[in-house]
Amino acid sequence: MFTGIVEEVGEIVDVVAQEDAARLRVRGPLVTSDARPGDSIAVNGVCLTVVDPGDGEFGVDVMGETLRRSSLAGATGGSRVNLERAVEAGARLGGHIVQGHVDGTGTVVERTEHEQWTTVRFRVTDGLTRYVVEKGSIAVDGVSLTVTEVDDETFAVGLIPTTLRETTLGEREVGSTVNLEVDVVAKYVERLMGAHAGSGK
C-alpha cells in the first residue's frame, strides 16, 4: 500500500521489450537506499516488484496487463517518474490509501496558471469519472490529489508549488498521458450495491 506522497523523482534508464511484457531499470537513489528483492515501489503510481536493486537503481518486470492499462507502455530511457516506497505500518498516512493498481489513463486537456498554484484538467477514459467526486481523493501518476471539479468526462485538481516542483506533474503539458487510480472504496461500494440490487432485496 502507498500514500500518494512522492518520495523522489527518478528516471527510467533502460527499457527492454519482451513478449507481452517489458523489463525496466529505474534510477532512484532514495527509494533504493533500503530496497531488497521483492519490495514494492510505485513507479508513476504503478506498484512494481523490485528484482535486482543496486547502485541507486532497481529493475522491475512489467506484464502486458500493466502496460495496457498504464502509461508505462510508452516509457523510454530518460523518462522521469514519480517514486514511492510502500508505506510502513504505523507511519503517517499523509495522502490517502493508494494501492498502486492503476485503473486507467487520463489526458491533460487544460492548464491554468494562477499566482500561487496551477489548475490542471484531465480527460478520463473507461468511464472512470463515475468514481470521482468533488473534494474526493484521486492518484494521478502516483500523486495523491484532491478533486476540485468533475463532470461526465473530465476532472480538475489544484497543484501547489511543492507538488509542481517535487513531482513530474509540473512537467505534464496539454496532451500528456497520466496514470489514474480512483478511490478503491468507491469501487467496492459500486460492486456491493450492484449485488444488492441484483438480489431483489
Side-chain angles (χ1 to χ4, degrees), residues 9-196:
V9 174
E11 180 182 353
I12 294 177
V13 295
D14 189 41
V15 178
V16 178
Q18 301 170 333
E19 185 176 352
D20 199 30
R23 167 68 67 91
L24 307 183
R25 189 147 193 88
V26 184
R27 180 176 296 119
L30 176 60
V31 298
T32 56
S33 62
D34 60 354
R36 297 172 298 178
D39 285 353
S40 295
I41 295 178
V43 179
N44 271 359
V46 181
C47 178
L48 298 173
T49 301
V50 174
V51 292
D52 55 351
D55 298 324
E57 300 179 357
F58 62 100
V60 291
D61 290 311
V62 187
M63 62 183 177
E65 167 71 6
T66 303
L67 294 173
R68 285 185 286 275
R69 282 186 176 264
S70 76
S71 64
L72 292 182
T76 59
S79 296
R80 284 162 49 83
V81 289
N82 296 320
L83 301 175
E84 181 191 355
R85 289 169 289 189
V87 66
E88 293 182 317
R92 287 189 176 91
L93 185 61
H96 72 282
I97 295 173
V98 177
Q99 295 181 296
H101 302 161
V102 170
D103 294 295
T105 58
T107 304
V108 178
V109 293
E110 183 180 70
R111 289 183 67 100
T112 304
E113 307 295 334
H114 307 279
E115 186 174 352
Q116 297 295 332
W117 51 287
T118 299
T119 298
V120 183
R121 183 172 293 277
F122 303 90
R123 187 173 304 282
V124 181
T125 61
D126 302 325
L128 289 177
T129 52
R130 70 183 184 273
Y131 302 114
V132 183
V133 297
E134 187 174 325
K135 305 306 178 188
S137 296
I138 192 166
V140 179
D141 272 352
V143 183
S144 175
L145 298 170
T146 300
V147 176
T148 58
E149 298 177 46
V150 63
D151 58 34
D152 289 342
E153 296 183 348
T154 70
F155 72 91
V157 298
L159 305 180
I160 62 174
T162 298
T163 304
L164 293 168
R165 183 177 60 250
E166 297 185 5
T167 76
T168 62
L169 295 184
E171 308 165 7
R172 297 291 184 252
E173 301 295 339
V174 171
S176 297
T177 300
V178 296
N179 294 323
L180 301 175
E181 182 185 331
V182 299
D183 191 337
V184 66
V185 174
K187 293 187 289 184
Y188 277 120
V189 169
E190 179 183 65
R191 185 166 180 82
L192 289 169
M193 292 299 291
H196 179 74

